[in-house]
Every structure is written in C-alpha cells, then in structure tokens.
Amino acid sequence: MTITKQDELDGLKDIGRIVANTMRAMAQAMEPGMTTRELDEIGRRLLDLEDAVPAPEASYGFPGATCISVNEEIAHGVPGDRVIAPGDLVNIDVSASKDGFFADTGATYRVAPVRPSLDRLCRDGKRAMQIGISQVGSDKPLAGIGKAIGRFASDRGYTLIRNLASHGVGRSLHEYPGEIATWPTRGDTRRINKGLVLTVEPFLSTGGLWANGGEDGWTLYSEPRAPAVQYEHTVVATDRRAIVVTLPG
C-alpha cells in the first residue's frame, strides 16, 4: 500500500495501535505455567474488543489469532498445549485488520530467569530492527535495509535467518513490493516510494541461517538449530523518516 491521504494514515495508525496494545498486553499477562493457547485467547479477546480481525486466521486459515513461538520455534508457532516455562524465549506476533487496513508487529520476550547471552541477543535484535527502520525513506534503496542490518549483525557475530523477509502491508497482510530482504543482497534495484507501507522484521540469531517447517505445516525452526529473535514494526516511508504506526497508545 502507498499512503496518499491523511485518512489512510489515520486508519493505518488505528489498527497499528490495536495490534501494538494487544501484543504488549499479552506480554504483560504471560507467566510460567500458562499455555500458549491461553495466551492466544487473551490476544483474541483484545482484538475482538476493538472490532479487529486476526489477519493470519482470516487470510491464510492459521489455527490461532496470533503466532506464539517458543525457544526452538522461531516463527508462526501455533497456539496450543505447550506450557510456558522459566527461561523461555517467547515470540509474540500480532497482525490484524480493521476497516480495510492491516498492520503487523512482533517481539521476542524473555521469561525470567534467562541467560545473559539471550538478554544480549534480545537487545541486539531490537537494535537490528531499529537500524533497518532508519534506512526507510522516500527514494532510498530497499536493499539498504538488509545491508545495514547485515553490517550490524556481522560486526557483533550474529547470523540472520535468510528466508524470513519483511514485506509490504496495508490493504492486505502481504502485498507489494513483496519480500524485502533483511540481510545483504545483490541485484535488488528497487527503491522506496513515498508513502510505501512495509514491515521491518529481521530475525537475528546466534547461528541460524534458514527457517524450516515442522510437522504441523505452520511452525518454523532455525537451521542450524540456534536461538533466534524477531522484532517487527509496520512503518510508512516519508521524505524525512519512517513513521512507525505499530505503537501502543
């Protein structure tokens, strides 16, 4: 989607606020002994209260209102009977639509106590996203996002999952300009047009390179197996900077 009018930006900010508030409330409610299904039910209730529609379920038939991925699960985890335990890394990914606008956000949370190395991975994962967002602006190269994130990851000894990309969003969950690499690439000459709506969501890892599917047909795992974190915002490109729409409020 390309934003051309203020009411479009307002609609996008509204659903962005909803998914951000939902993710934050889920994270605050999360505690050891809770199942991922129970956590997902909290998210569903909050989205329902805002008349928002869970996007993965509506768009793809995903079996849950939100994606909840624990430890070795790095993305698209299906809510179920898995019990959240102390020391877990839990990724919560919330995307939804309202009044024809879609927004997508995600973050990885730590269930205390966790190893210092995982604390550092989470801090750096959030920083990698912020570095990517800083590369979003009118007429900037799309490949600049992955180039900047890749430099940051390499300097700190991390790897990036190279088949889980950012994407266009706004009028549907995944749309033009399609996949946007959050790792260094060659040959991508696309540029960011003013008003373009996209996600920035690097998957930073301590050794993982690829995401492979599991038996349920949804959940993705790191290959090689290694901790991985994801942080995601939906943003709008402007002449000056990126507007982050997935902010709580």
Side-chain angles (χ1 to χ4, degrees):
M1 178 184 183
T2 296
I3 296 289
T4 59
K5 298 180 293 183
Q6 183 62 42
D7 63 345
E8 293 174 333
L9 182 58
D10 292 343
L12 195 64
K13 284 183 174 180
D14 186 36
I15 186 59
R17 173 189 57 81
I18 291 167
V19 296
N21 285 344
T22 298
M23 184 182 72
R24 183 173 66 174
M26 291 172 68
Q28 291 172 341
M30 182 172 60
E31 59 184 9
M34 173 185 286
T35 67
T36 55
R37 180 181 290 110
E38 291 170 334
L39 186 58
D40 181 65
E41 288 170 353
I42 293 170
R44 184 183 295 280
R45 287 196 298 271
L46 292 169
L47 293 174
D48 285 347
L49 285 171
E50 295 278 4
D51 295 321
V53 179
E57 189 175 62
S59 299
Y60 300 111
F62 180 78
T66 66
C67 300
I68 304 173
S69 308
V70 182
N71 293 338
E72 75 281 356
E73 305 167 344
I74 63 170
H76 305 166
V78 176
D81 295 329
R82 182 164 186 164
V83 175
I84 295 168
D88 281 348
L89 282 181
V90 182
N91 181 269
I92 301 173
D93 194 320
V94 182
S95 56
S97 65
K98 183 178 180 179
D99 298 330
F101 296 97
F102 287 72
D104 192 357
T105 191
T108 301
Y109 297 92
R110 292 147 283 182
V111 183
V114 295
R115 300 192 305 274
S117 61
L118 295 182
D119 272 328
R120 185 168 58 253
L121 175 62
C122 288
R123 289 195 302 269
D124 285 342
K126 188 172 184 178
R127 180 64 182 143
M129 175 193 67
Q130 293 167 339
I131 286 170
I133 291 172
S134 73
Q135 299 302 309
V136 175
S138 302
D139 203 39
K140 288 187 174 183
L142 268 176
I145 297 170
K147 181 179 180 181
I149 294 171
R151 185 184 306 115
F152 173 82
S154 178
D155 286 348
R156 284 155 181 78
Y158 295 111
T159 56
L160 292 159
I161 303 296
R162 292 177 175 247
N163 60 336
L164 287 175
S166 298
H167 54 90
V169 66
R171 287 297 190 180
S172 59
L173 183 54
H174 296 96
E175 59 180 52
Y176 176 86
E179 292 189 350
I180 303 165
T182 52
W183 58 90
T185 57
R186 295 181 178 179
D188 186 350
T189 60
R190 296 176 296 172
R191 304 193 78 83
I192 301 170
N193 57 281
K194 183 177 180 179
L196 182 67
V197 185
L198 65 152
T199 68
V200 177
E201 51 173 316
F203 285 76
L204 194 72
S205 178
T206 58
L209 297 171
W210 305 99
N212 288 335
E215 293 181 358
D216 64 12
W218 297 102
T219 307
L220 298 175
Y221 302 84
S222 169
E223 180 63 40
R225 290 294 176 97
V229 298
Q230 176 247 26
Y231 293 84
E232 174 184 17
H233 273 310
T234 295
V235 303
V236 181
T238 75
D239 288 334
R240 296 182 61 190
R241 58 181 177 82
I243 299 172
V244 178
V245 300
T246 42
L247 295 174

